[in-house]
Each structure stands twice: as C-alpha cells, then as structure tokens.
Amino acid sequence: MTERKIAPAGALHGESSLPGDKSIAHRYALLAALARGRSEIENYAPAADCASTLACLEALGVAVRRAGSRVSIDGAGLHGLKPASAPLDAGNSGTTLRLLAGVLAGQPFESVLTGDDSLRKRPMRRIVEPLTSMGATIEAEEGGLPPLRIRGGALNPIRYEMPIPSAQVKSCVLLAGLYATGSTTVLESVATRDHTELALAEFGARIATTSGMATVAGGSQLSACSLEVPGDLSSAVFLIAAALLLPGSELRLTGVGLNTTRSAVLDFLISMGAPICVTSRRTLAGEARGDVEVRYAPLSGGVISGALSALMIDELPMLAALGPFTERGITILDARELRVKETDRIAALVENLRRMGARAESFPDGITIAGHEAGPLRGAEIDPHGDHRIAMAMAVAGLAAKGETIVHDADCVAISYPEFFDTLDRLRER
Ligand code: S3P
C-alpha cells in the first residue's frame, strides 16, 4: 500500500506516448487466441487488467509470449481452447471477465470465472441473462455476482436489445455469437465503444454493422493478424487535464487512439475552452489515432448528460475533478453506471473532492461540483478505494491545489497506467 505525495506543480512541458489502449488490447488478445495462426500485437497495454486477460488465455491452453510491449499469440482456433485446471482469475478487470464469459459460453467444457474483492462485487446478471437465453448454463453467487460457473456448448443465435449502455455486454454477446448456429444481433439505443466490432472485422469474422446494430455470423473462422494498439485516450486525459490546469503548460501526446466512440471527451474539453488540436491523423485496423497537442487555458465548465455520459464513461472521474477549477462547475447526469465500476465512483469522487474543500453533491445517477465560487482546493489525504481512475483524477487535482496532497494506495494506478506518476514527474522536470 504505497502512498504518493503530490506537491503543487508548475507547468508540464514536452512530449509523451501513452500505454496501449486497455479496451483494444483485451479484444486483440482474445480474438488472437481464437484465430488460426500467430498474431503479433505491438504496444500491448502494460495495464494489470490486460495481463489478467493474457493469464486467463494461457490457463485455457493458449501459447502467449510477451517481450516488453510486444505480445505474440499462437491462436488455438475457434474450438481449440482447453479446460483450465483452476478458476480463471480476472483480477480487477470487468472487461476480462465479461468478454471471456462470452467466449466460455461457447466451449463444450465447464469454466469458473472469478476476480478480486472489487470485481466480485460487480453486477454480472447483465451478461448471465443474454448468455442463458443463448443456451449456456451459468451459476452466479447471490445477487448475480462472481464467481460465475459456466457450462457452454453450441449456442442459439439471439437478437438482443441492450437494456443498459455497456460495451462489455455488447462484446460478450457478440463473442458468444461466434459459437451460435446462425446470426446474433445486438441493438443499442445509446452508442458505446465499438472496438469489438472493428476487431472482429479485422480478424476476418463475418460482421455487419449499422448505426445502433451489429450482427455477427456464427462459425466465422478468424485468421491471425499483426496489429498495433493505439495509445490509451482514457489515460491521456489525465495528462491533458493536468496541462489544462497548470499555467504555462504545453504537451504533445503521440499516437493516441481517437476512435469516435471514445473521443467525445476531447470535444467536450474544447467546448469548455481547452486549446486542443490533433495532428498526424491516421487509421490502422479501423482504429483512428493521432497526436494530441494541448496548452493551459481557463475552462468554463458545463453539463454532461444523455448519450455523452456513456461515451465518456471512463473520463468522468477526471472531468468531475476538473469541476472546482472551472468558472461554472461541472455537472454529470445519466451516469448511473459510475456506481458499479471498480468502486462506486460517484461516492468516491464526492468524498475525496470534499476532503479537498470542493462543494460536491451526488445524485443517484450523477454528481455536481461547484466551480471557482466555492474557493480554491487545498491538498488533502485521498482514499481512491482501490480505483485507478479515482487515484489519477485526484492526483491531478492535487497538482493544482494549495498544499500537499497524499494519495493512499497509489499503486492501484497500475490497473490501467503503471507509468502514470513517473510520466508526470518527467513532464514536470523539463
Ligand atoms: C469497457 C467498457 C466500459 C468501460 C470499461 C472498459 C470495455 O464498461 O467503463 O473501462 O473495454 O468494453 P461498460 O461496458 O461496463 O460500460
């Protein structure tokens, strides 16, 4: 349980690349495992969550080699996974557990999927229901919690209307759809990240997408690919926010993922007055990427609601923590999903922002944080409740607060961005 002391900082300067995108890395690894042949993945995410996915795949008999940020995977083929000899441990990673559950629902053997204390409190009925209607047998703990015991096999195709906006649920059903006797369709009324659809197409699955709908053909054989994971925009946002808060800052972040189902956060920051520009745009394997340049600027504040809350779900902690530094404050609505992330992020944000002297109120589905009129933030002791994004959001607020901030259990940033504090130190030194 390490703590990190954050002293008020001067400007951030320079250039940085980002760790590979966590969401995309999970998907490339899973599909590579189900493909025929050897896939090579560059810039694989150093996130502990993505290591959990690789460890689960190895436990299912897949050969994985990792050298720095390069991962090579010898695919077992759609029907080549082997039963694991012990429960599969997804660690802290909801994406590992939910996406892998879709794959395991199609296997002719029994698997148990579990995770750490946080993951074992997270809701799984959202995947148990569609997978059960496809014909899998799944036992969960009371309340629909992990561990999940999954007995799978050939599945029925379904047409599934998503009751909540969740890319993890959508992806789980589409992956199970590879094992269905026919075409499986997922319909979403609120858009969520589309990395699974793009990756399935890249690995050669028969998949058709239109706005709000994706259909995958059962039995689609996958072929190995060489891929490069873009930098993680959700991690970049912590550095972007720090640059916006610290006068004189000027940063260039290279090779950042800019998929339009993820980049709404940049448009929102720009709408608040942030001087952000994107250069060197390119698209590889369907995933847009580019360099993001940002300078310090005062921010106006704003309201995030409706479909935008779903598109920016992972960036909401950082946006909330920017609230006290804005002219009018930040209000977030329609974000009930924040309650069931690695921790209850609404409760954790209100608690920690108040410790720093912010005026923050919560609603069942959101949070409102007063702007400048509530006065400057002061350094405080931060309890991230084991949540990487709360730790990083509050550390960034600490850079611009008066006095020292102490982030307890700061190692939890390794879940998505192990080099976060080192990168900040490097950009502050120049
Ligand atoms: C993710 C989807 C989101 C997001 C999570 C990663 C993914 O979760 O919060 O960090 O990779 O599909 P939900 O789908 O549960 O909203």
Side-chain angles (χ1 to χ4, degrees), residues 33-35 60-62 74-83 107-109 179:
L34 302 181
L60 290 162
V62 178
D74 287 329
L78 214 49
H79 299 286
L81 298 180
K82 305 269 183 324
Q107 308 305 316
F109 52 79
Y179 295 92

Side-chain angles (χ1 to χ4, degrees), residues 22-24 26-27 95 98-99 122 126 164-169 171 192-193 195-196 262 310 313-314 337 341-342 345 388-389:
K22 191 157 80 76
S23 289
I24 296 174
H26 286 300
R27 285 150 171 89
T95 310
R98 294 190 178 119
L99 270 57
R122 294 181 65 187
R126 54 184 63 197
I164 44 163
S166 167
Q168 293 179 353
V169 175
S171 304
T192 62
R193 63 194 69 190
H195 306 303
T196 301
R262 296 284 294 285
I313 194 74
D314 288 341
E337 281 294 301
K341 293 294 178 188
E342 286 80 333
R345 287 185 171 158
H388 52 126
R389 298 200 203 278

Side-chain angles (χ1 to χ4, degrees), residues 226-358:
S226 288
L227 296 157
E228 187 187 328
V229 181
D232 198 325
L233 177 58
S234 300
S235 297
V237 159
F238 298 105
L239 301 181
I240 293 171
L244 288 169
L245 291 184
L246 300 170
S249 295
E250 203 158 356
L251 283 187
R252 184 155 178 272
L253 304 173
T254 55
V256 182
L258 294 170
N259 178 314
T260 51
T261 62
R262 296 284 294 285
S263 60
V265 63
L266 296 182
D267 301 325
F268 178 72
L269 288 169
I270 291 168
S271 77
M272 289 204 297
I276 292 176
C277 77
V278 174
T279 58
S280 308
R281 277 189 189 270
R282 59 211 176 270
T283 298
L284 292 174
E287 293 287 355
R289 46 200 98 196
D291 298 349
V292 177
E293 294 171 7
V294 56
R295 279 181 288 112
Y296 162 80
L299 299 172
S300 61
V303 178
I304 301 161
S305 63
L308 268 190
S309 295
L311 285 177
M312 301 199 283
I313 194 74
D314 288 341
E315 293 75 59
L316 296 179
M318 186 64 258
L319 294 173
L322 282 178
F325 302 98
T326 62
E327 202 183 312
R328 299 194 312 270
I330 297 265
T331 296
I332 296 168
L333 302 167
D334 305 317
R336 194 178 292 271
E337 281 294 301
L338 287 178
R339 296 267 185 207
V340 290
K341 293 294 178 188
E342 286 80 333
T343 188
D344 176 342
R345 287 185 171 158
I346 293 175
L349 284 164
V350 168
E351 173 195 326
N352 285 299
L353 285 166
R354 283 186 182 160
R355 287 184 189 198
M356 296 186 83

Side-chain angles (χ1 to χ4, degrees), residues 79-92:
H79 299 286
L81 298 180
K82 305 269 183 324
S85 55
L88 294 158
D89 185 0
N92 192 244

